[in-house]
């Protein structure tokens, strides 16, 4: 059986959510962050050299990196679900938004978090640049969701699973006001209505109310 190593309040929530959407049975190993440093515990560092989550185990395989794990599970267990094929009109959009999550959305949030913790003045060029990049990325997501119900198009796909963490749980580490983005808020309301998302969040982060607003 597939085993998921999940670090609380992390990108590994994507893997739980994917498995819940697909109805794939899995065993869940929860790892808690260090209460002082908020970093991964030694158990995760012993499992994988980078000490980051998610990590999965299946049939002797050990695999890290959330996008790689999502692709692996889709290829082995999804039977064509949650990703359009090359013949689908949304195929290119799916590829773009699937990779946008870790190529743009999550990195700009992480960069802003680091800049904020450095204590730079509001008018410091590095801080201004980081904030500007976040604003441009968020405006692009907002524009996309003004024209489509989901990132790849009409249908919910793994591109959504890849992106939602950065718009929700990541805001525990880097606050971001979503009020200027009504289409993102409407999108998150649709995500929050998905039973699989609710189950995944309850299992992975019990006691944490999903940050959908």
């Amino acid at each position: 059986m597939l085993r998921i190593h999940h670090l609380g309040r992390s990108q590994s929530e994507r893997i739980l959510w994917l498995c819940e959407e697909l109805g794939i049975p899995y065993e869940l190993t929860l790892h808690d962050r260090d209460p002082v440093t908020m970093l991964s515990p030694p158990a995760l560092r012993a499992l994988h050299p980078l000490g980051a989550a998610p990590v999965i185990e299946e049939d002797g395989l050990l695999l890290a990196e959330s996008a790689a794990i999502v692709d692996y599970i889709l290829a082995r267990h999804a039977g064509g679900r949650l990703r359009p094929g090359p013949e689908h009109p949304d195929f290119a959009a799916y590829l773009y938004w699937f990779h946008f999550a870790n190529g743009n959305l999550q990195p700009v949030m992480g960069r802003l978090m680091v800049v904020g913790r450095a204590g730079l003045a509001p008018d410091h060029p590095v801080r201004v640049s980081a904030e500007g990049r976040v604003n441009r990325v968020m405006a692009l997501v907002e524009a996309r969701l003004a024209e489509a119900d989901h990132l790849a198009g009409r249908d919910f796909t793994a591109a959504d699973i890849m992106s939602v963490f950065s718009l929700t749980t990541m805001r525990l580490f880097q606050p971001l006001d979503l009020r200027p983005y009504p289409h993102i808020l409407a999108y998150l309301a649709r995500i929050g209505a998905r039973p699989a998302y609710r189950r995944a969040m309850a299992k992975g982060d019990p006691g944490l109310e999903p940050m959908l607003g």
Side-chain angles (χ1 to χ4, degrees), residues 196-208:
Y197 177 76
R198 288 288 183 178
R199 289 195 304 271
M201 294 302 295
K203 291 178 181 180
D205 287 282
L208 174 65

Side-chain angles (χ1 to χ4, degrees), residues 35-183:
V36 176
T37 67
M38 296 301 291
L39 298 177
S40 301
L44 264 177
R45 292 197 297 272
L47 188 66
H48 187 273
L50 296 183
V55 177
I56 64 166
E57 297 179 87
E58 185 178 48
D59 299 332
L61 170 75
L62 183 72
L63 184 62
E65 293 294 339
S66 61
I69 292 171
V70 169
D71 266 338
Y72 170 85
I73 290 174
L74 289 174
R76 288 207 58 176
H77 299 287
R81 293 174 289 167
L82 297 186
R83 63 173 177 179
E87 73 290 343
H88 197 285
D90 292 336
F91 178 62
Y94 167 78
L95 290 178
Y96 177 80
W97 289 104
F98 182 93
H99 292 285
F100 180 88
N102 279 358
N104 274 290
L105 182 55
Q106 184 60 23
V108 299
M109 291 288 287
R111 188 177 304 121
L112 186 61
M113 179 182 71
V114 171
V115 168
R117 292 180 179 180
L120 300 180
D123 61 349
H124 192 286
V126 173
R127 182 167 180 173
V128 171
S129 175
E131 291 174 347
R133 181 68 177 178
V134 167
N135 292 339
R136 290 194 296 276
V137 165
M138 294 298 293
L140 181 60
V141 176
E142 173 73 3
R144 175 57 175 167
L145 293 172
E147 64 185 15
D149 286 344
H150 298 92
L151 290 172
R154 181 180 63 184
D155 298 328
F156 174 84
T157 69
D160 301 295
I161 291 175
M162 286 295 298
S163 298
V164 165
F165 167 82
S166 304
L167 301 172
T168 56
T169 310
M170 180 62 188
R171 287 159 50 216
L172 291 169
F173 306 96
Q174 175 52 54
L176 183 66
D177 184 4
L178 295 184
R179 287 177 297 179
Y181 307 107
H183 293 100

